Amino acid sequence: MDKHYLTPLFTPESIVVFAGRIDDPASQTGQATALIEALRAQRFAGTLAFLDIHTSGTLADLAQTRADLAIIALPAKDINAALELAARMACRAAMVISSGVTAELAAEMKKVARREGIHLLGPNSLGLQRPQLQLNASAAGPLAKAGSLALVSQSGALTSSMLDWATSNGVGFSSVVSLGPHTGVDIAQVLDFLANDAQTHSIVVYLEGISSARRFMSALRSAANAKPVVILKAGRKPAGNQAAQTHSGAIVGSDDVFDAALRRAGAVRVRSFVALFSAAKCLASRYRPVGKRLAIVTNGGGPGVLAADWINEVSLQLGRLSVETVTTLKPLLPNLASLIDLIDLSEEAGAEHYKAAVHAAEKDRQVDGVLAIYSPKAGGDAASVATALAEVKRNMGKPLLSCWMGDASVGSARTILKDAAIPSFRTPEAAVGAFGNLAAFYQNQLLLQQTPPPMSTLAKPDIEGARLVIESVLAERRKVLTEMESKTLLSAFHIPVTSTMLARSANEAMMIATQLGFPVALKIDSPDISHKSDVQGVVLNIGSATGVRDTYNDMIQTVTRLQPKARINGVTVQNMASAKRGGEIYIGMVTDDPFGPVIAFGAGGTMIELINDRAMELPPLNQFLARRLIERSRVAETLGDWRGGNAVDLDALEQVLLRVSEMVCELPQLREMDINPFIVDEHGAVAVDARIVIDHAPHSNAGRSDSYSHLAILPYPARLEQIWPLPGGGEYTVRPIHPDDAQMLQDMMAHLSPESRYFRFVSSITELPPTMLARFTLIDYDREMALVAVFKERHAAADGEISETERIVGVSRYITNPDQSSCEFALVVADDFNGKGLGSRLMMSIMDVARDKGLAEIEGLVLANNPGMLKLMRSLGFSVKAFREDPDFKLVTHPL
């Protein structure tokens, strides 16, 4: 049960191959012939058998054969029969290598696989490679060199091209997986396996589409939390999107939203096939930088300036040496060397100069990475400089990239760099772009670590009042809210709005305007008109009662003429926003397919489409995410001290974004929302106009405040937090785990007794490896849960001052099994808290969560020599049985 459910697919010990008669190539498909050659080209570490479904004996004979994985390369009409035979042989995984299988046939295959309990990779797949197992179960070419990089591709042609490129560039792979259209095992499941695969240290993905945003984001966040993930996505333009849907049979979201999703998942996106190769070079070198500052070491000013220009273009920073480093380094360089901005060693630079400069930059705290550029010079020795870099690289902790310009005279130098695992590029721009991808990985990791709850710590909104407004509009069979209704919804979530009143006659408009005070704005109010300005339905800065009367009459006549079928409720009257230098901001949300609600921010006003400034973020938000969302917009530059004006109140703006996030989380009926303009200045912010579009919520969401299935990222489940008393006094808190608990979890691990550690991990490890620690603390609350018991310890200082520190004293967790109806649990309690009821409480709490998720059974493995745990399980009503696969364990189960 400790093994991943896809282990039979990726790490099989025995394989059976259905590919026609082995001695008769005429009975084989073209891909079957390529597969057989690939399998036989090297010695697979396990057992390998070839069978013909037509001449392999009786079903009873086949039942005597056992295999982990069945590889099927047969005509489409024979595939289902082969799957049924594989099930007779107890195969838990199958791979179909084929092409041209229709969606209808693929659906039949997946139905058979589900019925037989088989995880199906394919159809329309070129297969997979696992070089360290000497397994080439693919029709994608020769077996790749073994390495730590995993390649996952939804294009067979690109898979073959990537392998061909890797051969000449010395890049090795832990796994190569080709995923075709309509595959059973999808990209989310493959990422989930690779996240837990010890052989894989980084992942590159070619993606055309996804079928489930929630599952994709869950798996991607898990993978990116453990190792770098770089993605090249096809279908960036509208034409490309259409092609991708046709080719892959999957949903492709809009490009801006996909960017936002990848950032939030902690992954890095590249924009071209060349950039994907560049990223693969850097990932194969296992570089993980911690910032944006790239130092340039060069023997020519021109190439160095080109690199510096591109650093600025891709929003990096030029790494400049500190005064202390310059003072130390200067005597070691040629007289003509310049250390202002670039580390320009001059044309006289040799190997020792490069070595000294790169070493100095690596030690400088103002530098995060180093790019060494070499331009061929008369009498220069490119190979010796490369050798010097190879030497200094052995002891470097920061990324070192190289750019040996030219061609004929630097070939041997590039070979030296490749052998030393130093990424080498032919142009400065490509090298800088590759470092930019590494830097983006670090920046996106900060976003990944954010796990906000659905509700902020601000004053509680009137959620029920907002729902009543929505229900009344839907009852009238409308989907577009009027301005009054939209502002009522905003007010329910404490978003400031301008005072607005509805007038149904010119005289009523005059009276309202006089009460509000001039100047005022008049706007047409109609459920059938979304863009008021298009029908001359907005007039601003009206300074008198007669002006209000005349404007009202003119507006009603004009709108009636331009939109004769529109229902007109009247005209709204509102104060003009009083901000003297208020910026016009746009805040809104869109609903993307497949990623669901997305919050947008940018420059507002009447020219919003022309300006096209729209930064995006997936909800839920916290203050950190709200600030980053603002910073990504172009209008952010005008929100500070700008052209003599005061900086706007960013705190107020962030609070509005948090309120919008609350609306999106709690109101699944929202489909679109435009708050435009939103006026913000140094005194605060106010919504001047708003447009909201709604629709019926999915059935699973209706009326449930704790259901967030409309979101691509499940919020932190703060509602599960509970406080429980300790026997003899004191209390502890049981709550879901979050990434900030990593150090406390490690501390708990360090203080466990050897026996407790062994009972929990069946190992003598004294601390959790970084990947495991990350995996345990950043979880997907939709498919798994971890509850921690937190105890506050009081400490008295020498001066008598009392302080408190939090300590994790117990953890229970479950993860949903592949059958989606049961889950596996784990439990550990600190030794000094044993016997205080924590184990029972943590187990009952985790079972409650699993039950609320609709799971039917919880199960776990307990060492047979752990009487305390077995006693606890029996006291909670678990059944205890022998575990057939290992007599050292007992299988404990409990229906939910």
PDB file of all heavy atoms in Angstrom, residues 12 37 98 206 223 286 316 343 432 461 541 548 590 610 621 668 675 698 831 847:
ATOM      1  N   PRO A  12       7.390  -1.954 -13.609  1.00  0.00           N
ATOM      2  CA  PRO A  12       6.917  -3.337 -13.616  1.00  0.00           C
ATOM      3  C   PRO A  12       8.058  -4.319 -13.390  1.00  0.00           C
ATOM      4  O   PRO A  12       9.183  -4.100 -13.826  1.00  0.00           O
ATOM      5  CB  PRO A  12       6.332  -3.494 -15.021  1.00  0.00           C
ATOM      6  CG  PRO A  12       7.150  -2.558 -15.857  1.00  0.00           C
ATOM      7  CD  PRO A  12       7.468  -1.385 -14.967  1.00  0.00           C
ATOM      8  N   GLU A  37      11.288  -4.458 -31.548  1.00  0.00           N
ATOM      9  CA  GLU A  37      12.704  -4.135 -31.721  1.00  0.00           C
ATOM     10  C   GLU A  37      13.217  -3.315 -30.542  1.00  0.00           C
ATOM     11  O   GLU A  37      14.331  -3.544 -30.049  1.00  0.00           O
ATOM     12  CB  GLU A  37      12.906  -3.376 -33.029  1.00  0.00           C
ATOM     13  CG  GLU A  37      12.665  -4.219 -34.283  1.00  0.00           C
ATOM     14  CD  GLU A  37      12.792  -3.398 -35.555  1.00  0.00           C
ATOM     15  OE1 GLU A  37      13.010  -2.171 -35.445  1.00  0.00           O
ATOM     16  OE2 GLU A  37      12.677  -3.975 -36.656  1.00  0.00           O
ATOM     17  N   SER A  98      -0.733   2.599 -30.246  1.00  0.00           N
ATOM     18  CA  SER A  98      -1.518   2.601 -31.468  1.00  0.00           C
ATOM     19  C   SER A  98      -1.673   4.040 -31.932  1.00  0.00           C
ATOM     20  O   SER A  98      -1.241   4.977 -31.263  1.00  0.00           O
ATOM     21  CB  SER A  98      -2.896   1.983 -31.214  1.00  0.00           C
ATOM     22  OG  SER A  98      -3.583   2.766 -30.247  1.00  0.00           O
ATOM     23  N   TYR A 206       5.170  18.787 -22.526  1.00  0.00           N
ATOM     24  CA  TYR A 206       4.530  19.416 -23.686  1.00  0.00           C
ATOM     25  C   TYR A 206       3.042  19.136 -23.566  1.00  0.00           C
ATOM     26  O   TYR A 206       2.608  17.983 -23.533  1.00  0.00           O
ATOM     27  CB  TYR A 206       5.061  18.870 -25.012  1.00  0.00           C
ATOM     28  CG  TYR A 206       4.227  19.353 -26.178  1.00  0.00           C
ATOM     29  CD1 TYR A 206       4.347  20.661 -26.635  1.00  0.00           C
ATOM     30  CD2 TYR A 206       3.280  18.526 -26.781  1.00  0.00           C
ATOM     31  CE1 TYR A 206       3.554  21.129 -27.673  1.00  0.00           C
ATOM     32  CE2 TYR A 206       2.488  18.983 -27.815  1.00  0.00           C
ATOM     33  CZ  TYR A 206       2.632  20.289 -28.268  1.00  0.00           C
ATOM     34  OH  TYR A 206       1.837  20.754 -29.280  1.00  0.00           O
ATOM     35  N   ALA A 223       3.580  18.075  -7.794  1.00  0.00           N
ATOM     36  CA  ALA A 223       4.853  17.832  -8.478  1.00  0.00           C
ATOM     37  C   ALA A 223       5.787  19.026  -8.351  1.00  0.00           C
ATOM     38  O   ALA A 223       6.969  18.884  -8.035  1.00  0.00           O
ATOM     39  CB  ALA A 223       4.599  17.502  -9.944  1.00  0.00           C
ATOM     40  N   ARG A 286      20.408  20.342 -12.637  1.00  0.00           N
ATOM     41  CA  ARG A 286      19.837  20.393 -11.283  1.00  0.00           C
ATOM     42  C   ARG A 286      20.108  21.729 -10.601  1.00  0.00           C
ATOM     43  O   ARG A 286      20.461  21.802  -9.439  1.00  0.00           O
ATOM     44  CB  ARG A 286      20.337  19.227 -10.430  1.00  0.00           C
ATOM     45  CG  ARG A 286      20.015  17.874 -11.027  1.00  0.00           C
ATOM     46  CD  ARG A 286      20.483  16.740 -10.151  1.00  0.00           C
ATOM     47  NE  ARG A 286      19.758  16.724  -8.888  1.00  0.00           N
ATOM     48  CZ  ARG A 286      19.975  15.815  -7.944  1.00  0.00           C
ATOM     49  NH1 ARG A 286      20.872  14.880  -8.124  1.00  0.00           N
ATOM     50  NH2 ARG A 286      19.294  15.857  -6.817  1.00  0.00           N
ATOM     51  N   LEU A 316      14.535  40.390 -15.558  1.00  0.00           N
ATOM     52  CA  LEU A 316      15.548  39.965 -14.598  1.00  0.00           C
ATOM     53  C   LEU A 316      16.327  41.184 -14.130  1.00  0.00           C
ATOM     54  O   LEU A 316      16.039  42.317 -14.522  1.00  0.00           O
ATOM     55  CB  LEU A 316      16.478  38.932 -15.241  1.00  0.00           C
ATOM     56  CG  LEU A 316      15.854  37.595 -15.650  1.00  0.00           C
ATOM     57  CD1 LEU A 316      16.868  36.748 -16.407  1.00  0.00           C
ATOM     58  CD2 LEU A 316      15.340  36.842 -14.431  1.00  0.00           C
ATOM     59  N   ILE A 343      30.938  42.243 -16.019  1.00  0.00           N
ATOM     60  CA  ILE A 343      32.296  41.824 -15.664  1.00  0.00           C
ATOM     61  C   ILE A 343      33.015  41.574 -16.988  1.00  0.00           C
ATOM     62  O   ILE A 343      33.092  40.449 -17.486  1.00  0.00           O
ATOM     63  CB  ILE A 343      32.275  40.560 -14.781  1.00  0.00           C
ATOM     64  CG1 ILE A 343      31.366  40.784 -13.564  1.00  0.00           C
ATOM     65  CG2 ILE A 343      33.684  40.183 -14.326  1.00  0.00           C
ATOM     66  CD1 ILE A 343      31.171  39.539 -12.705  1.00  0.00           C
ATOM     67  N   VAL A 432      20.258  33.840 -21.340  1.00  0.00           N
ATOM     68  CA  VAL A 432      19.531  34.665 -20.366  1.00  0.00           C
ATOM     69  C   VAL A 432      18.102  34.150 -20.197  1.00  0.00           C
ATOM     70  O   VAL A 432      17.574  34.084 -19.078  1.00  0.00           O
ATOM     71  CB  VAL A 432      19.536  36.141 -20.812  1.00  0.00           C
ATOM     72  CG1 VAL A 432      18.603  36.970 -19.927  1.00  0.00           C
ATOM     73  CG2 VAL A 432      20.939  36.708 -20.753  1.00  0.00           C
ATOM     74  N   PRO A 461     -18.959  39.065   5.812  1.00  0.00           N
ATOM     75  CA  PRO A 461     -19.933  39.611   4.857  1.00  0.00           C
ATOM     76  C   PRO A 461     -21.327  39.032   5.077  1.00  0.00           C
ATOM     77  O   PRO A 461     -21.509  38.042   5.782  1.00  0.00           O
ATOM     78  CB  PRO A 461     -19.364  39.165   3.503  1.00  0.00           C
ATOM     79  CG  PRO A 461     -18.629  37.901   3.807  1.00  0.00           C
ATOM     80  CD  PRO A 461     -18.056  38.077   5.186  1.00  0.00           C
ATOM     81  N   ASN A 541     -20.973  64.469 -14.308  1.00  0.00           N
ATOM     82  CA  ASN A 541     -20.732  65.847 -13.875  1.00  0.00           C
ATOM     83  C   ASN A 541     -21.898  66.794 -14.184  1.00  0.00           C
ATOM     84  O   ASN A 541     -21.724  67.873 -14.748  1.00  0.00           O
ATOM     85  CB  ASN A 541     -19.454  66.396 -14.523  1.00  0.00           C
ATOM     86  CG  ASN A 541     -18.207  65.847 -13.851  1.00  0.00           C
ATOM     87  OD1 ASN A 541     -18.079  65.894 -12.628  1.00  0.00           O
ATOM     88  ND2 ASN A 541     -17.309  65.302 -14.660  1.00  0.00           N
ATOM     89  N   VAL A 548     -30.198  67.909 -14.496  1.00  0.00           N
ATOM     90  CA  VAL A 548     -30.614  66.546 -14.205  1.00  0.00           C
ATOM     91  C   VAL A 548     -31.922  66.231 -14.910  1.00  0.00           C
ATOM     92  O   VAL A 548     -32.086  65.163 -15.529  1.00  0.00           O
ATOM     93  CB  VAL A 548     -30.756  66.343 -12.677  1.00  0.00           C
ATOM     94  CG1 VAL A 548     -31.462  65.022 -12.364  1.00  0.00           C
ATOM     95  CG2 VAL A 548     -29.407  66.408 -12.003  1.00  0.00           C
ATOM     96  N   VAL A 590     -13.744  36.485 -14.379  1.00  0.00           N
ATOM     97  CA  VAL A 590     -14.260  35.775 -15.546  1.00  0.00           C
ATOM     98  C   VAL A 590     -14.305  34.297 -15.186  1.00  0.00           C
ATOM     99  O   VAL A 590     -13.607  33.848 -14.273  1.00  0.00           O
ATOM    100  CB  VAL A 590     -13.382  35.998 -16.794  1.00  0.00           C
ATOM    101  CG1 VAL A 590     -13.418  37.441 -17.227  1.00  0.00           C
ATOM    102  CG2 VAL A 590     -11.941  35.549 -16.529  1.00  0.00           C
ATOM    103  N   LEU A 610      -9.056  48.901 -25.185  1.00  0.00           N
ATOM    104  CA  LEU A 610      -7.905  49.399 -25.930  1.00  0.00           C
ATOM    105  C   LEU A 610      -6.621  49.274 -25.116  1.00  0.00           C
ATOM    106  O   LEU A 610      -5.578  48.859 -25.632  1.00  0.00           O
ATOM    107  CB  LEU A 610      -8.131  50.871 -26.316  1.00  0.00           C
ATOM    108  CG  LEU A 610      -7.024  51.542 -27.128  1.00  0.00           C
ATOM    109  CD1 LEU A 610      -6.871  50.848 -28.476  1.00  0.00           C
ATOM    110  CD2 LEU A 610      -7.324  53.030 -27.324  1.00  0.00           C
ATOM    111  N   LEU A 621      -7.674  34.285  -2.697  1.00  0.00           N
ATOM    112  CA  LEU A 621      -6.535  35.177  -2.509  1.00  0.00           C
ATOM    113  C   LEU A 621      -6.268  35.414  -1.029  1.00  0.00           C
ATOM    114  O   LEU A 621      -7.165  35.315  -0.200  1.00  0.00           O
ATOM    115  CB  LEU A 621      -6.797  36.539  -3.175  1.00  0.00           C
ATOM    116  CG  LEU A 621      -7.109  36.586  -4.672  1.00  0.00           C
ATOM    117  CD1 LEU A 621      -7.283  38.033  -5.098  1.00  0.00           C
ATOM    118  CD2 LEU A 621      -6.028  35.906  -5.483  1.00  0.00           C
ATOM    119  N   PRO A 668     -20.988  30.562  -5.999  1.00  0.00           N
ATOM    120  CA  PRO A 668     -20.660  29.824  -7.221  1.00  0.00           C
ATOM    121  C   PRO A 668     -21.538  30.207  -8.410  1.00  0.00           C
ATOM    122  O   PRO A 668     -21.249  29.808  -9.534  1.00  0.00           O
ATOM    123  CB  PRO A 668     -20.879  28.363  -6.816  1.00  0.00           C
ATOM    124  CG  PRO A 668     -21.818  28.410  -5.663  1.00  0.00           C
ATOM    125  CD  PRO A 668     -21.495  29.671  -4.929  1.00  0.00           C
ATOM    126  N   ILE A 675     -16.113  45.534 -12.178  1.00  0.00           N
ATOM    127  CA  ILE A 675     -16.221  46.745 -11.365  1.00  0.00           C
ATOM    128  C   ILE A 675     -15.358  47.776 -12.089  1.00  0.00           C
ATOM    129  O   ILE A 675     -14.133  47.776 -11.988  1.00  0.00           O
ATOM    130  CB  ILE A 675     -15.718  46.527  -9.926  1.00  0.00           C
ATOM    131  CG1 ILE A 675     -16.397  45.311  -9.293  1.00  0.00           C
ATOM    132  CG2 ILE A 675     -15.975  47.765  -9.081  1.00  0.00           C
ATOM    133  CD1 ILE A 675     -15.875  44.979  -7.906  1.00  0.00           C
ATOM    134  N   PRO A 698     -23.804  24.826 -10.043  1.00  0.00           N
ATOM    135  CA  PRO A 698     -23.884  23.366 -10.166  1.00  0.00           C
ATOM    136  C   PRO A 698     -24.587  22.785  -8.954  1.00  0.00           C
ATOM    137  O   PRO A 698     -24.488  23.308  -7.850  1.00  0.00           O
ATOM    138  CB  PRO A 698     -22.409  22.934 -10.218  1.00  0.00           C
ATOM    139  CG  PRO A 698     -21.693  24.149 -10.720  1.00  0.00           C
ATOM    140  CD  PRO A 698     -22.446  25.324 -10.180  1.00  0.00           C
ATOM    141  N   ASP A 831       5.721  11.201  21.597  1.00  0.00           N
ATOM    142  CA  ASP A 831       5.839  10.238  22.692  1.00  0.00           C
ATOM    143  C   ASP A 831       5.341  10.796  24.019  1.00  0.00           C
ATOM    144  O   ASP A 831       4.682  10.088  24.798  1.00  0.00           O
ATOM    145  CB  ASP A 831       7.299   9.799  22.830  1.00  0.00           C
ATOM    146  CG  ASP A 831       7.757   8.969  21.636  1.00  0.00           C
ATOM    147  OD1 ASP A 831       7.513   7.757  21.629  1.00  0.00           O
ATOM    148  OD2 ASP A 831       8.334   9.547  20.702  1.00  0.00           O
ATOM    149  N   MET A 847     -11.511  10.720  10.227  1.00  0.00           N
ATOM    150  CA  MET A 847     -12.605   9.900   9.695  1.00  0.00           C
ATOM    151  C   MET A 847     -13.825  10.757   9.380  1.00  0.00           C
ATOM    152  O   MET A 847     -14.523  10.515   8.386  1.00  0.00           O
ATOM    153  CB  MET A 847     -12.955   8.793  10.685  1.00  0.00           C
ATOM    154  CG  MET A 847     -11.871   7.722  10.814  1.00  0.00           C
ATOM    155  SD  MET A 847     -12.092   6.637  12.255  1.00  0.00           S
ATOM    156  CE  MET A 847     -13.604   5.784  11.811  1.00  0.00           C
TER     157      MET A 847
END
